Amino acid sequence: MKNPPRSYNCKNEELPAICRNALVSLKRDQADFTAYSPRLNESYTTEFENKVNQAEELVSPISETAELKKITERIFKNMDDLLKSIDRLSGYVNLGKETIQLSSADFGISALRKGINVHDPEKVIAKLKDVNNNIIKYWDTLSEVGLTPEIQARFNEVYDSMIADRKLQYEILTNRKALVQNNNAFFNDLYSQLTDICSKGKILYKDVDPVKLQEYTFSELKKKVRLVAKKEESKIQKKGPQQNPDAEK
């Protein structure tokens, strides 16, 4: 059977979260819904909850979520652990500046450090490539002032590890996306029940309870989910290490 197009106006991963919020309100207001129509009883709510649970597992399988978390933690640790080597490299660039004639910023070190501090893997990978190329280009001078093959190897190791981990993350997320897209009919059905719940909520609480009315308005539910996601993303970025103000002096 041909996979139908999506009937909902939000990201696939947002729909289960939106439905979860609506479910919380529905459970709280169960008596009002059942009083309005016996069809909207606890069995109706349980059916919706089961669908939400299934949708969450499709969008974010527990095993894959744990694996992605582990990979992300490894990426962040590799970046953070590189800071000591960056400090040393910065010192060697400074020692050889008369020959190299590049500042730490020109060498790519400043941008690399900034990428690590904000935990931006894509920026770190790009700047690591620049730094590694410059280490090779100015190896004779840098090795004369103290840079060791072990430190050079550490930069290469982190670069290779991050490339491999980002590829693995991409593969996991791509496979998950394909799985979700192949279940459009299920997600459309979930959205259909959500729409039914919201429409009944509006009947019950319009001109009666403006706060509850918002809880049964799709656009408001979507806004709430995106706000939470934005806060979580900001929280993750702020977990980066604090930059040493004296590191490049």
Side-chain angles (χ1 to χ4, degrees):
M1 186 175 68
K2 187 177 179 180
N3 197 33
R6 297 191 315 165
S7 61
Y8 45 94
N9 183 25
C10 66
K11 297 177 182 177
N12 288 326
E13 61 270 21
E14 292 175 332
L15 184 60
I18 290 170
C19 290
R20 176 65 64 183
N21 287 336
L23 176 63
V24 170
S25 299
L26 177 60
K27 284 185 171 183
R28 180 199 60 206
D29 301 326
Q30 184 69 69
D32 290 344
F33 275 77
T34 303
Y36 173 76
S37 171
R39 185 179 71 83
L40 305 174
N41 54 20
E42 290 186 3
S43 295
Y44 175 87
T45 301
T46 299
E47 177 191 357
F48 183 58
E49 183 171 19
N50 289 338
K51 290 178 183 176
V52 174
N53 290 338
Q54 188 176 342
E56 288 174 339
E57 180 60 21
L58 278 170
V59 169
S60 188
I62 294 175
S63 58
E64 288 186 4
T65 300
E67 181 64 18
L68 283 170
K69 182 180 179 181
K70 185 169 68 174
I71 295 170
T72 299
E73 288 174 348
R74 183 166 62 236
I75 289 173
F76 287 173
K77 185 177 187 304
N78 273 329
M79 288 194 293
D80 296 345
D81 288 349
L82 192 61
L83 284 171
K84 289 183 180 180
S85 295
I86 289 175
D87 289 343
R88 286 180 173 272
L89 176 61
S90 180
Y92 293 133
V93 170
N94 186 56
L95 284 171
K97 63 183 178 181
E98 291 185 4
T99 302
I100 297 174
Q101 296 186 336
L102 290 178
S103 66
S104 290
D106 294 332
F107 202 90
I109 294 172
S110 297
L112 175 58
R113 192 194 305 278
K114 184 177 180 181
I116 292 174
N117 282 333
V118 297
H119 276 173
D120 183 341
E122 298 306 324
K123 184 172 184 178
V124 170
I125 288 172
K127 296 308 173 183
L128 257 178
K129 183 177 181 180
D130 293 341
V131 168
N132 283 338
N133 286 338
N134 280 329
I135 290 175
I136 293 172
K137 184 176 181 179
Y138 299 105
W139 173 253
D140 289 344
T141 299
L142 291 171
S143 61
E144 285 176 5
V145 296
L147 183 65
T148 65
E150 289 76 19
I151 294 177
Q152 180 191 22
R154 182 58 185 152
F155 281 91
N156 286 321
E157 287 167 4
V158 172
Y159 177 79
D160 292 341
S161 177
M162 289 186 66
I163 288 290
D165 278 339
R166 291 300 277 174
K167 181 181 178 182
L168 185 55
Q169 284 181 325
Y170 176 78
E171 290 173 352
I172 292 173
L173 291 172
T174 300
N175 291 337
R176 179 188 298 177
K177 184 177 181 181
L179 178 63
V180 172
Q181 288 178 340
N182 289 334
N183 283 274
N184 277 356
F186 168 76
F187 281 93
N188 286 343
D189 180 56
L190 174 65
Y191 176 69
S192 178
Q193 188 167 1
L194 172 66
T195 301
D196 185 46
I197 292 167
C198 287
S199 67
K200 302 307 185 292
K202 289 176 182 177
I203 292 172
L204 289 169
Y205 302 115
K206 185 179 180 180
D207 300 325
V208 175
D209 191 326
V211 174
K212 285 189 176 183
L213 178 61
Q214 283 192 327
E215 294 175 359
Y216 294 102
T217 302
F218 182 78
S219 60
E220 293 297 327
L221 287 166
K222 181 168 65 174
K223 189 185 301 181
K224 181 179 179 181
V225 165
R226 289 182 176 177
L227 181 61
V228 170
K230 189 174 181 179
K231 286 181 178 178
E232 287 299 317
E233 183 178 349
S234 177
K235 192 183 300 181
I236 290 173
Q237 290 178 343
K238 287 179 180 178
K239 287 183 179 179
Q242 294 298 312
Q243 183 172 346
N244 179 358
D246 300 320
E248 294 180 7
K249 288 184 179 179

